Amino acid sequence: MDEKNWLAGEFEANRAHLGAIAYRMLGSRAEADDAVQEAWLRLGRSDADVIDNVGGWLTTVVARICLDMLRSRKTRREEPFDLPVHERLADTSKTVDPEREVVFADSIGLALLVVLETLAPAERVAFVLHDMFDLPFDDIAPIINRSSAATRQLASRARRRVQGRTDVPEADAARKKQIVNAFLAASRLGDIKALLSILDPQVVFTPDAAAMRYNPSVRELRGADAVADTFKGRAQAAQPAMIDGEFGLLVVVGGQLRVVLLLTFDGEKIAAIDAVADPEYLGNLKYDLLQE
């Protein structure tokens, strides 16, 4: 069997699994089919000899495609979600068999899809891949450019919302912006007390390899005391921004973007901070600066 036929066979063997993942992430069968088709096109352009596990590779690619699509929705809309899932399912009737769409939705649970629509893109990907498809956090983390600790936090927060738990109130966008600005001010002023009031007691700071090369003193930190002490008097060059539809900080030095700090919230606390300095990631980054 030649390589092309072998890849086609592997793709067909995984098609149903990929479609299920994409549908749970996107809530639309039409968009899910588009994501799976795009994964097939990318597989055809890839070097099969360097792919050890085709199923795992396809899962990763579909997840990244879905994440991009979810983030694109965020940047296009003034409100996070414009239509309930059941209304958007009806809107796909021109391209999808309506009966097939309803059956597919019923097999998952329309109520669950509606709740999933309320999750932020990275939250939704982390929750779907871990809680619905049992992928380890270590495998999910590179897909959403977060550390394993932050990915665990995102999935945990999503799980609480899906289960309808209200023990940890979720901050809205306006409140998160206030928290980001308060974190910046406290960091620049070296106000440890203010930093501790913003950080979750179990907060985790995780730099990627590029960030550690950029600043050798940077390392993984756990706990509010350690993270607050590290950010005391720092963040002078940081600017608040919406990064791929989520709140974070850009560190610009000499007019060049050096590091991105991705923030993970748990209620009204910052539960994880990921420092990403990978040049490829920074080169493809989509962001909008926010006023402090």
Side-chain angles (χ1 to χ4, degrees), residues 179 181-199 224-236:
I179 295 169
N181 287 335
F183 174 80
L184 268 178
S187 177
R188 291 167 177 169
L189 294 172
D191 189 338
I192 290 290
K193 185 177 180 180
L195 283 170
L196 291 174
S197 71
I198 296 166
L199 298 171
D225 289 333
V227 174
D229 187 64
T230 292
F231 277 91
K232 179 180 64 176
R234 300 280 185 90
Q236 303 300 325

Side-chain angles (χ1 to χ4, degrees), residues 3 7 42-52 57:
E3 181 179 289
L7 285 177
R42 294 188 187 185
L43 180 62
R45 297 193 295 266
S46 300
D47 183 358
D49 292 336
V50 301
I51 301 177
D52 294 328
W57 186 92

Side-chain angles (χ1 to χ4, degrees), residues 260-279:
V260 166
L261 299 178
L262 301 171
L263 306 179
T264 300
F265 291 84
D266 195 356
E268 295 200 348
K269 302 284 188 178
I270 296 175
I273 304 173
D274 288 277
V276 183
D278 177 68

